[in-house]
Amino acid sequence: MTTRNTTRYYELPRFTSVDALRPAERGVPAPGPREVLVRMRAWSLNYRDLMIASDTYGRALTPGLVPLSDGAGEVADAGAEVTRWSAGDRVVGIFMPRWISGPATADRTAGALGGPSDGVLAQYVLFDQDALVAAPAHLDFAEAATLPCAAVTAWHTVVTSGGVAPGQTVLTMGSGGVSLFALRFAALGGAHVIATSSSDAKLARLRALGAADGIDYVRTPAWGQAVYEASGGGVDHVVEVGGAGTLPQSLTAVRTGGRISVIGVLADGDGVDPISVVRKGITLQGMYVGSREMFEEMNRALERHRLHPVIDRAFPFAEAPAAYRHFADRGHFGKVVITDE
């Protein structure tokens, strides 16, 4: 039973599948001089969490890892040198604790939460005071917990790097977290968004969120050509979450001189002939979340537009393994979250 001096958390003693997730208890950690102790109130899942649990992430991981990069809570205690936060502040951890601002570097992107460093699926978590942002005032904890990975990645892709502008065309894929945030950020920026999905019901929901056009990729296997024609010669920007399995279609869909931002690896496929990239003069760029500065810029936009993340389903902390399994089924629309009971 949990007492005042102990906290519940989850760990991965081995990396065999989502069923390896195990609950455990430990002492409540005490903050160091520059550290903040956060009482976590909500968490959210990303596709990388499934890859980490099944050891398909491609990085060395230590057994006993505490999973998840995304969580929100309130400051419970702070070290003597902490100046940025006070008890009771509503905060969200950043995905890469060392990436405060500027371009990505090996040092700044090292130590991502949830793998290789311990993540946040615990009732109490220690953060460096610089590795937190204020939760947007209009969001509850569950909504704020969806932001660190998917939302910041989408903001970096569409706004910071992509420079979305009115009149541009943007292609998004499916109804996962990154895609939904990208769709909404692009639409807020005045872009014409074309979204793909696997059913009319999901396409209707995507249109309600701001998509101007929708294409069912099941009924239209050659959806890249359909997007090319619907956009009058190719889209300006593809938010590519499928990887090898969808990149050939994205190369067809993008205009000459356009951009493809590669984010995910959701679909298996063969290699891509780079001649298409060369002939079209495409900017093909890998995206990996973003800095605290980007996170704070995004939060200001969320507050200004009163934008709420889309949550598919919430599970209590005691049912975190069920949340993993629901997410692994890949039938969700939006984010799957875990909340404190």
Side-chain angles (χ1 to χ4, degrees):
M1 178 178 291
T2 301
T3 68
R4 283 187 62 186
N5 297 319
T6 62
T7 176
R8 291 179 294 164
Y9 71 101
Y10 283 89
E11 64 178 356
L12 288 165
R14 59 190 184 279
F15 304 99
T16 52
S17 73
V18 299
D19 293 326
L21 192 68
R22 291 290 180 269
E25 289 189 0
R26 63 187 178 190
V28 176
R34 288 180 48 83
E35 290 182 319
V36 175
L37 179 66
V38 177
R39 175 63 167 97
M40 305 300 292
R41 297 298 184 184
W43 305 260
S44 75
L45 287 159
N46 297 287
Y47 185 71
R48 74 186 288 268
D49 299 314
L50 300 181
M51 299 176 70
I52 287 168
S54 59
D55 200 21
T56 58
Y57 192 52
R59 294 192 178 186
L61 300 169
T62 303
L65 177 78
V66 179
L68 299 195
S69 58
D70 291 17
E74 56 196 349
V75 174
D77 196 6
E81 298 177 15
V82 172
T83 57
R84 300 187 71 233
W85 309 106
S86 300
D89 286 345
R90 301 170 69 253
V91 294
V92 187
I94 65 174
F95 184 92
M96 296 167 184
R98 302 178 192 171
W99 193 3
I100 305 304
S101 62
T105 65
D107 180 65
R108 289 169 178 167
T109 59
L113 297 181
S117 298
D118 275 345
V120 300
L121 192 52
Q123 290 181 309
Y124 287 89
V125 177
L126 285 175
F127 294 87
D128 184 271
Q129 69 162 339
D130 291 331
L132 294 164
V133 300
H138 70 297
L139 301 185
D140 61 27
F141 284 121
E143 292 172 321
T146 70
L147 303 177
C149 182
V152 174
T153 299
W155 181 265
H156 185 187
T157 300
V158 174
V159 180
T160 307
S161 180
V164 66
Q168 289 185 333
T169 50
V170 176
L171 172 65
T172 63
M173 301 177 181
S175 52
V178 173
S179 295
L180 291 190
F181 280 116
L183 185 165
R184 301 176 84 185
F185 293 151
L188 284 176
H192 180 102
V193 181
I194 301 173
T196 67
S197 192
S198 59
S199 71
D200 289 338
K202 286 185 175 181
L203 287 172
R205 296 184 68 181
L206 292 169
R207 288 189 179 95
L209 291 172
D213 290 307
I215 294 175
D216 185 326
Y217 61 77
V218 176
R219 285 201 303 262
T220 311
W223 52 265
Q225 184 62 34
V227 170
Y228 183 87
E229 293 170 0
S231 58
V235 297
D236 296 292
H237 192 174
V238 179
V239 181
E240 168 59 70
V241 299
T246 55
L247 191 52
Q249 295 294 325
S250 293
L251 288 166
T252 299
V254 72
R255 68 167 174 82
T256 298
R259 172 188 294 267
I260 299 176
S261 294
V262 181
I263 295 165
V265 289
L266 300 177
D268 294 330
D270 297 326
V272 174
D273 187 347
I275 195 65
S276 299
V277 178
V278 175
R279 284 178 176 169
K280 278 191 166 182
I282 295 165
T283 298
L284 184 64
Q285 182 175 7
M287 307 300 299
Y288 191 33
V289 197
S291 67
R292 190 189 80 190
E293 182 178 67
M294 295 178 204
F295 201 158
E296 291 168 335
E297 290 172 350
M298 180 193 74
N299 282 350
R300 289 192 290 271
L302 293 177
E303 290 185 327
R304 183 166 62 252
H305 294 284
R306 306 293 293 179
L307 190 150
H308 288 265
V310 177
I311 292 178
D312 174 83
R313 184 174 171 186
F315 291 79
F317 185 80
E319 298 178 18
Y324 266 77
R325 288 190 287 272
H326 175 72
F327 188 75
D329 287 341
R330 296 176 69 168
H332 55 282
F333 188 100
K335 298 292 290 183
V336 175
V337 301
I338 299 166
T339 58
D340 187 50
E341 300 97 320

